[in-house]
Amino acid sequence: MFFGGMPGGGFPGMPQKREPADTTKLYETLGIEKSSTAAQIKKAYRKKALRMHPDKGGDPEEFKKLQAAYDVLSDEDKRKTYDKYGLEGLEEGGGPGGGMGDIFDLFGGGRRRNGKRKVEPLVFTVKASLEHLYCGKTVKLAYKRDALVGEPRKCATCGGTGITVQNVQIAPGMVTRAQAQCSQCNGGYRAQMKKERCEVEVRIDKGAADKSKIKLKDKGSEAAGAEQGDVHFVIQQKPHSLYKRHGADLLIRKDIGLVEALTGFKFVVPTLDGRKLSVQAKPGQIIRPEVRSGVPYVMCVDGEGMPKYGNPFDKGRLFVLFHIAFPTDGSLSSQAVAYLKKALPAPLDHPVVGADAEALKKLAEKNESVRELLGHEAEEAFLTRVEGGMDDFGRGAGADGGDATNEDDDDGRRRRGPQVQQCAQQ
């Protein structure tokens, strides 16, 4: 006795039922739920576009996917078609109407319009120096792919369907028919294969981003009964000895002396295209160690960063991160100290030993702590260098930590201080 036929399809020679369409990939690309409103779709796109834009260091191919997903989901009719038919529905127009083959190429998967699947792309890494990414370069590359030998033949086992049907007993006296992928062919066709060496020229455009892809259409592997695949070359940016890159901006670190920070500087930077760039401070400009606590002092030169991808005439900025090298251990002569006191701004509003009474009086009018110190003779204390820096902070206690609450009980046992528990915030 037979029940039902083949799950998910008819018998050989009859139209086969398609697999359920993937209707979530575009939503996942934008990072939203299928129930999202039009406003939520727009907000999600803007947020990810700012972060993934090629000018910000994003992958151009991933940015194209983001744009394509938004183009579909922001259009009410396209969104309905996608929710019902998936990517194939967009390519075929959801029935009547035009197609959208470009978005199908971007996201891949499923079968092509002519019913053939496309072979998975070959992916290779291309290492590129920052100079190559700045100036652009054409490189010759070689790779191996699977190639057909002769014409493919229709498989006699499955009749060219790629599927075989088997009788499966599910209980005594009960048999059903199940379908499985044919083990003798590839998609209904059989063919001899060989490894083939290919050589291509690949153009690395100016401003290309790290991890961006260069795609060569229909240059990949072949397979019987399938469309030829593509080749993807993924750019891997090499580290540079001088420059660090972020999007279209470049960064260098420059060590300068204290005298340069106060009186000005001029130095030459070798550019990525072989020029020599003279960088200098404006007259009287002072370089500080930090803008504020924890924020380093940087300056930039407009138009001396990386060319922007797609518009190489527009360039980013060159940032210079300064590190001020203070004088090494030693001492200054009394004459040098006098010159510095005369040239540099007045001290901050705290008492200065040896200051005249009029100056102290003015300080006292502004600062209460100064008023408390006036009239009392100050003890002299000299700072010494701490070899361990901040690592020595808190190590001035005794061997047991100097805990005043750790005392001996009358019975000689060690008594701990009160235990402090952390409360959860409401």
Side-chain angles (χ1 to χ4, degrees):
M1 180 180 288
F2 295 93
F3 290 88
M6 296 190 303
F11 293 92
M14 297 181 64
Q16 300 295 311
K17 183 179 179 181
R18 290 184 178 183
E19 297 180 358
D22 182 353
T23 60
T24 61
K25 187 173 292 185
L26 300 188
Y27 290 96
E28 292 171 356
T29 300
L30 288 175
I32 57 176
E33 301 292 334
K34 291 190 68 175
S35 58
S36 298
T37 64
Q40 290 172 329
I41 292 173
K42 187 175 183 180
K43 182 179 179 180
Y45 168 72
R46 286 183 173 180
K47 184 177 180 180
K48 295 196 75 172
L50 287 173
R51 187 177 73 252
M52 296 174 61
H53 196 279
D55 287 349
K56 300 291 185 181
D59 185 343
E61 293 301 321
E62 293 301 318
F63 186 69
K64 287 180 183 178
K65 287 185 179 181
L66 183 70
Q67 288 179 307
Y70 177 69
D71 178 62
V72 172
L73 299 182
S74 61
D75 185 291
E76 186 176 352
D77 293 334
K78 292 179 183 178
R79 184 179 181 185
K80 287 180 180 178
T81 300
Y82 175 71
D83 287 343
K84 188 173 183 179
Y85 300 104
L87 291 172
E88 283 190 332
L90 292 172
E91 186 190 35
E92 297 168 0
M100 290 186 64
D102 290 343
I103 192 171
F104 195 91
D105 289 337
L106 278 173
F107 288 90
R111 290 183 175 271
R112 309 294 290 179
R113 193 175 303 157
N114 58 11
K116 292 183 179 181
R117 69 179 180 87
K118 190 173 180 68
V119 179
E120 290 294 317
L122 299 175
V123 182
F124 303 98
T125 298
V126 179
K127 294 184 178 181
S129 66
L130 205 53
E131 286 82 359
H132 291 165
L133 298 176
Y134 186 97
C135 302
K137 186 177 182 179
T138 299
V139 294
K140 289 185 177 181
L141 300 171
Y143 63 94
K144 289 186 177 181
R145 67 182 182 96
D146 294 327
L148 292 169
V149 179
E151 291 293 327
R153 305 182 308 276
K154 185 178 290 188
C155 178
T157 304
C158 65
T161 64
I163 297 173
T164 57
V165 182
Q166 299 175 340
N167 294 335
V168 179
Q169 183 174 350
I170 58 176
M174 299 177 64
V175 178
T176 187
R177 306 188 74 183
Q179 64 181 18
Q181 186 175 356
C182 181
S183 61
Q184 302 299 316
C185 67
N186 184 5
Y189 291 86
R190 303 176 66 177
Q192 290 183 327
M193 305 296 296
K194 68 175 182 179
K195 287 290 185 182
E196 184 176 75
R197 187 177 186 272
C198 298
E199 292 185 357
V200 293
E201 286 190 351
V202 175
R203 176 65 186 174
I204 300 176
D205 291 330
K206 294 181 180 181
D210 183 34
K211 297 183 178 62
S212 61
K213 294 179 182 177
I214 302 172
K215 290 186 177 181
L216 300 183
K217 199 171 182 63
D218 299 333
K219 295 291 185 180
S221 292
E222 299 175 332
E227 288 189 9
Q228 185 174 355
D230 302 331
V231 180
H232 295 176
F233 292 103
V234 181
I235 294 177
Q236 182 179 351
Q237 179 181 299
K238 296 179 182 179
H240 198 272
S241 59
L242 177 62
Y243 291 98
K244 291 188 180 298
R245 178 191 184 188
H246 185 69
D249 291 333
L250 294 173
L251 171 71
I252 62 172
R253 169 176 163 152
K254 179 61 179 177
D255 293 339
I256 60 174
L258 180 57
V259 64
E260 293 175 290
L262 297 175
T263 63
F265 58 84
K266 185 176 182 179
F267 60 91
V268 175
V269 178
T271 63
L272 294 171
D273 58 351
R275 294 177 290 117
K276 294 187 181 299
L277 181 66
S278 177
V279 180
Q280 58 186 329
K282 295 178 181 178
Q285 188 174 32
I286 295 176
I287 306 300
R288 294 175 287 164
E290 293 180 326
V291 176
R292 57 182 181 274
S293 180
V295 180
Y297 191 91
V298 295
M299 299 176 68
C300 70
V301 182
D302 289 329
E304 288 296 341
M306 291 290 294
K308 294 183 179 180
Y309 183 76
N311 185 13
F313 298 102
D314 186 15
K315 297 181 181 179
R317 296 167 293 178
L318 171 62
F319 284 77
V320 182
L321 172 63
F322 290 99
H323 175 259
I324 301 176
F326 280 76
T328 56
D329 289 345
S331 60
L332 297 173
S333 65
S334 58
Q335 187 179 17
V337 171
Y339 284 146
L340 288 174
K341 284 185 176 182
K342 185 177 181 180
L344 296 176
L348 301 179
D349 59 344
H350 52 73
V352 180
V353 177
D356 56 63
E358 187 64 27
L360 287 176
K361 183 179 179 181
K362 290 181 179 179
L363 288 175
E365 292 174 355
K366 300 179 181 179
N367 196 314
E368 184 177 352
S369 62
V370 176
R371 292 197 297 270
E372 293 176 356
L373 288 172
L374 288 176
H376 297 273
E377 186 176 352
E379 296 182 6
E380 290 188 348
F382 294 93
L383 292 171
T384 59
R385 182 179 175 183
V386 181
E387 294 295 334
M390 286 301 294
D391 292 339
D392 285 347
F393 185 65
R395 294 184 178 179
D400 61 354
D403 189 352
T405 61
N406 291 345
E407 300 175 357
D408 290 335
D409 286 333
D410 293 337
D411 59 1
R413 291 180 299 176
R414 195 70 165 172
R415 177 166 60 84
R416 301 292 299 175
Q419 301 299 307
V420 180
Q421 296 182 356
Q422 184 174 2
C423 299
Q425 289 185 340
Q426 298 296 327

